[in-house]
Amino acid sequence: MPGWYQDLKALQASGKIQIVGLIQEQHPERCKLFMEWKKLDFPILVDSLNRLEVTAIPKMWALADQSLVIETRPKMEWIRGEFLELAYPAMIIENPEPKESRAVQAYLDQEWSKAIDSFSLDCNAASVKDPKDGRPYFRLGCAYRARHDSKDRQPGDFQRAIDMWTQAIRIDPGNYIYQRRLQQYGPRLMKPYPFYDWIDDARRDIEKRGDKVPPLLVEPRGAELAGPSRKPIEASTVKEENPDPEGKMPFDSLGYVKIESVVAPYPARAGATVAVHMDLRLNKKLGTTWDNEGGPLQIWLAKGDGYTLAKQLWKSPLPHQPGSAENRVYDFEVGLATSKEAGKTKIAGFAVYFVCEKKSGVCTFARQNFSIEILFVKAREKTQRRRRR
Amino acid sequence: MNPRLALASSLLVLPLMAQQIPPKKDKSFPLLRFPVLGGKAGETKTLGDWKGKNVLLIQFASW
């Protein structure tokens, strides 16, 4: 338990103050796991859209009678002393609960498609009235990602979320909250620290205590677990074997597996590193399952001009059971070549996999080709420092 | 007299307290409605749910 909380918990138990937490994470249930791990026990409000428009965290506010801000950076000594003794007459708050916009209300109601439509209109309006306002783009990104994580997911939702967050940062590059949202899914070169590498430790420690581990709705993956790296991507010197060099494997003509790839950030910048997230989902209508006894899923990426890969071949780990139906993900990074002009590069590749179809009982192997398109803007120009005279 | 109580007394003269985004010292914290972590689907709260209490609001992230 953090030291600051030990101090405050006693004060809260006395009834003299109420601790309330506020988070702006895209996947708030991860904070629930964090709270259980660190044994923090206070209510948490979720502001994934950053409606409070904070530009940095952590922050602490001392509030009297629900809303008057007494201090913005209260010190522990002041909290224990003056703050506990303060008694304010009730405030009359102007317009106590302002009416939410249509877009925000839809988001609060978890009507993701409605939120997306409404925030899209806000973006259109902002592009005309206030091109320096990144807020609607950020919030539209949040809505797309929320729909991606829901049962109403549409192909392309995750990429559109990345597109919108990239746009929000282009408009407001100093906004810490926007930056962190994109860095979470972005390449290691962008990361200040690993975002969710604590999750395994949290689960283990909670289980050891004999407590219940809060479930996660969305498991963190590759990019969210990776630590920062300041090295550019270097091509591997290890010889890798193409699993189907002559294209002899039968193509997946029935669509047993749907492949989707997401590039972050997007558009990228020439010369930069991007993160690529690949999702391979089984066709539920066909009742497709992975045939783990047949062999692993393999992804092969072709080398090409315009980019560098650390490795070309990836093999998925195999579950113990003979058949399974999970979504399979592969996250990797690509180093883009420098360029003075904007443009795009394509990474060709293919996946080979072993699947079974429930209806016919047929198990087979298949190949599916794909192409990952990466749009980029021109590299930043290096500014020259003026010499002091 | 405690200067903060004096401030509060003077504020009583003003009939209405405007909310400020982002929140600032000596202004009213916005009473926006937020989902509650671990709450029921659709459950939301404002800080008004803790009316009458001194609140320490801590904004943080698990990352």
Side-chain angles (χ1 to χ4, degrees), chain A residues 260-274:
Chain A
E260 195 172 319
S261 58
V262 173
V263 177
Y266 200 85
R269 201 171 280 282
T273 301
V274 295

Side-chain angles (χ1 to χ4, degrees), chain A residues 201-382:
Chain A
D201 288 346
R203 283 171 162 156
R204 189 185 55 243
D205 290 349
I206 294 169
E207 275 174 358
K208 234 184 202 175
R209 295 199 300 250
D211 292 332
K212 190 178 171 189
V213 177
L216 295 185
L217 296 176
V218 180
E219 285 292 328
R221 55 191 278 181
E224 297 177 278
L225 300 168
S229 171
R230 300 294 169 247
K231 293 179 189 173
I233 301 292
E234 288 176 358
S236 171
T237 52
V238 173
K239 187 167 167 47
E240 296 176 280
E241 196 172 330
N242 185 323
D244 186 26
E246 293 172 33
K248 288 185 176 176
M249 289 229 180
F251 285 106
D252 180 1
S253 54
L254 292 179
Y256 290 122
V257 174
K258 179 92 168 74
I259 299 178
E260 195 172 319
S261 58
V262 173
V263 177
Y266 200 85
R269 201 171 280 282
T273 301
V274 295
V276 179
H277 306 260
M278 290 194 73
D279 270 23
L280 294 98
R281 291 173 188 258
L282 296 165
N283 187 328
K284 288 182 181 172
K285 285 183 186 168
L286 295 176
T288 314
T289 55
W290 301 111
D291 176 14
N292 299 321
E293 289 180 322
L297 158 70
Q298 297 182 78
I299 290 177
W300 177 261
L301 302 168
K303 284 184 182 176
D305 295 332
Y307 61 88
T308 305
L309 299 167
K311 56 190 277 184
Q312 291 182 265
L313 176 67
W314 176 74
K315 292 184 187 179
S316 73
L318 276 175
H320 295 301
Q321 58 270 44
S324 57
E326 75 283 9
N327 294 337
R328 290 188 177 174
V329 300
Y330 175 42
D331 288 1
F332 62 96
E333 297 194 351
V334 180
L336 299 177
T338 55
S339 170
K340 290 183 182 174
E341 302 296 326
K344 63 183 170 191
T345 197
K346 283 188 185 178
I347 302 175
F350 63 87
V352 292
Y353 38 81
F354 295 83
V355 291
C356 294
E357 185 190 336
K358 190 178 178 183
K359 193 177 172 185
S360 63
V362 166
C363 290
T364 184
F365 51 82
R367 167 177 170 143
Q368 186 176 154
N369 293 343
F370 59 78
S371 176
I372 301 170
E373 185 177 281
I374 304 176
L375 206 65
F376 57 83
V377 297
K378 63 181 180 180
R380 277 186 221 277
E381 287 175 4
K382 286 185 182 177

Side-chain angles (χ1 to χ4, degrees), chain A residues 18 20 22 24-25 44 46 51 58-59 61 63 65-67 69 83 92 94-97 193 196 198, chain B residues 4 8 15 17 19 22 24 26-29 31 33 35 37 48 52 54-60 62-63:
Chain A
Q18 171 68 53
V20 177
L22 183 64
Q24 70 301 310
E25 294 178 58
I44 302 274
V46 182
R51 286 148 64 212
K59 276 192 182 304
W61 295 276
L63 311 175
D65 187 37
Q66 87 180 320
S67 73
V69 180
F83 187 50
I92 301 171
E94 179 184 59
N95 191 19
E97 280 197 42
Y193 43 72
Y196 291 107
W198 54 266
Chain B
R4 297 196 188 280
M17 176 66 123
Q19 299 172 60
K24 282 192 165 58
D26 299 330
K27 301 288 183 190
S28 175
F29 198 96
L31 287 178
R33 193 156 279 282
L37 186 65
N54 286 352
V55 170
L56 210 53
L57 182 69
I58 305 173
Q59 180 151 19
F60 66 102
S62 66
W63 37 252

